[in-house]
Amino acid sequence: KPLSAADMERLAKARLGIRDLPEGLVRQVTDRAGGNPLYAEEILSFLIEQGTLRITSDTAEFDAASGRTALPESIQSLFAARIDQLWPEDRAVLQAAAAIGRRFDPALLSRVAGNTGGIGATLRRLEALDIVYREAGSSGYVFKHVLMRDSVYHSLLSERRTRLHTVIAETIEARNDNRLVEAAETLAFHYGQTGHTDRAFTYNALAGTKSLGVFSLDEANRYFALALDLYRQDDGCASQAQFGELVANYALGLNISLRVKTMLQLAGDVGPILARSGDSAHHVAFLHHHVACLIWNARYTEAWDMQRDLTAMAARLGDPHAEAYALV
């Protein structure tokens, strides 16, 4: 439930560090915040930055008339107004941080923003403005609220947003050169916001395989579906071998999570592509899962016909792993 006027008054006193508040301030904050503590704190910060609210010693001076006209109509407008008041260099750093995410590492931010010397001072200024804060027991920083991060992020022009995501992904990739699996989900997200469909495909497929390995089936299927969507948009983003491995792993995830109908739809979609690519161990694995799902769906005649094709393909390959799939 929304906070009461008395609760909002106590919150404002604690936020400002004073014992008494002007009546007009309490009324405006209560009315405009609608009982939401986040909005109340942002309104107080905005009024201080505007000079409409001044704190001296243990007292507050508030220009109620200016406050009524100064406050934006919505919380999004309030966030935007606060961001617009920042120094240009601080605003650029904040936008780079928003592209990284709600939580961000100063070392990564320094590389992305191209501000290798002054990042610490910038973050201290933003912290003093109650926009970000440092996580306890960590060197990382966090946006005070996800709405603030989103407001900053959506203020970015698309070209700059794409450029930031590219730099973030390339930097994370370079820093995790020997352990890319650990960063697969992050890299999949950031490359997914760029035009690098080949890398986005690679890391979505890798993130799916990683999730499948720990039996996180919903996550695995989600990443495989994202990779497949990328392939549909640009079939040049992956080789035939990469595509075959993706759909074989996706089929495994769908089969063991008993998403039979989705698997049968997938087979209808990618079956012709696999057929054109010819015999392969991945093709055998995919057909194995297709047969299993046909059986679960009581389509026995189709399953039997496909099983014969699967057995013949495994025999042509002469691969014990493929032959084992055919026997199962």
Side-chain angles (χ1 to χ4, degrees):
K1 294 181 180 179
L3 297 182
S4 66
D7 290 332
M8 297 295 272
E9 183 175 0
R10 282 196 294 274
L11 181 148
K13 288 177 179 177
R15 174 72 178 79
L16 300 174
I18 57 177
R19 284 180 291 193
D20 296 306
L21 292 175
E23 179 59 32
L25 177 62
V26 176
R27 186 166 52 253
Q28 282 198 31
V29 171
T30 301
D31 291 345
R32 298 297 287 273
N36 185 306
L38 167 69
Y39 295 1
E41 290 194 347
E42 290 301 318
I43 287 170
L44 292 170
S45 296
F46 178 81
L47 292 173
I48 290 171
E49 291 165 14
Q50 286 281 311
T52 306
L53 173 61
R54 293 177 296 280
I55 308 300
T56 56
S57 189
D58 192 32
T59 61
E61 298 178 10
F62 177 59
D63 185 341
S66 297
R68 277 191 294 272
T69 57
L71 283 172
E73 289 299 320
S74 68
I75 189 64
Q76 288 80 9
S77 300
L78 179 58
F79 287 151
R82 292 196 65 201
I83 295 162
D84 287 343
Q85 292 179 58
L86 296 174
W87 292 351
E89 56 268 32
D90 288 359
R91 185 164 57 248
V93 168
L94 192 65
Q95 288 173 336
I100 295 172
R102 188 183 175 193
R103 287 172 171 78
F104 54 91
D105 171 50
L108 174 60
L109 177 59
S110 178
R111 292 285 299 274
V112 173
N115 184 349
T116 55
I119 202 73
T122 299
L123 288 174
R124 284 192 293 274
R125 286 194 294 270
L126 295 174
E127 192 171 12
L129 293 171
D130 203 32
I131 295 174
V132 301
Y133 64 88
R134 187 167 181 171
E135 282 193 293
S138 167
S139 62
Y141 279 78
V142 185
F143 277 88
K144 179 183 175 182
H145 196 279
V146 67
L147 290 178
M148 172 61 86
R149 180 263 167 187
D150 290 349
S151 182
V152 177
Y153 182 74
H154 292 302
S155 71
L156 286 164
L157 297 177
S158 59
E159 184 179 344
R160 174 162 162 74
R161 188 185 304 175
T162 300
R163 188 165 62 251
L164 284 171
H165 281 296
T166 301
V167 175
I168 292 165
E170 290 174 347
T171 303
I172 293 173
E173 204 172 28
R175 291 172 64 181
N176 293 273
D177 186 39
N178 297 320
R179 42 194 177 90
L180 289 173
V181 174
E182 295 179 21
E185 297 88 347
T186 304
L187 289 167
F189 168 74
H190 287 294
Y191 274 127
Q193 311 306 309
T194 73
H196 296 285
T197 53
D198 54 342
R199 293 184 181 181
F201 177 94
T202 296
Y203 288 115
N204 273 293
L206 184 58
T209 304
K210 174 183 173 182
S211 297
L212 193 59
V214 294
F215 226 70
S216 182
L217 299 180
D218 287 343
E219 279 293 284
N221 292 333
R222 183 174 69 85
Y223 281 115
F224 290 144
L226 288 170
L228 185 58
D229 284 343
L230 287 165
Y231 186 85
R232 289 190 183 107
Q233 296 165 26
D234 175 18
D235 60 9
C237 70
S239 66
Q240 286 187 348
Q242 287 175 310
F243 178 77
E245 182 178 8
L246 168 74
V247 294
N249 285 332
Y250 193 8
L252 170 59
L254 294 173
N255 187 5
I256 61 180
S257 58
L258 299 180
R259 294 177 60 180
V260 176
K261 289 185 178 179
T262 305
M263 173 60 212
L264 296 178
Q265 290 170 355
L266 176 68
D269 187 14
V270 307
I273 303 174
L274 285 173
R276 290 195 297 271
S277 66
D279 297 351
S280 71
H282 293 313
H283 195 169
V284 167
F286 182 87
L287 291 178
H288 162 82
H289 297 299
H290 190 185
V291 168
C293 287
L294 286 170
I295 292 170
W296 307 147
N297 209 37
R299 292 162 63 176
Y300 303 120
T301 305
E302 291 176 67
W304 176 252
D305 290 340
M306 184 163 292
Q307 178 63 36
R308 287 188 298 182
D309 293 340
L310 164 57
T311 301
M313 185 182 297
R316 289 194 299 272
L317 288 169
D319 172 42
H321 193 249
E323 290 173 347
Y325 266 114
L327 286 170
V328 171

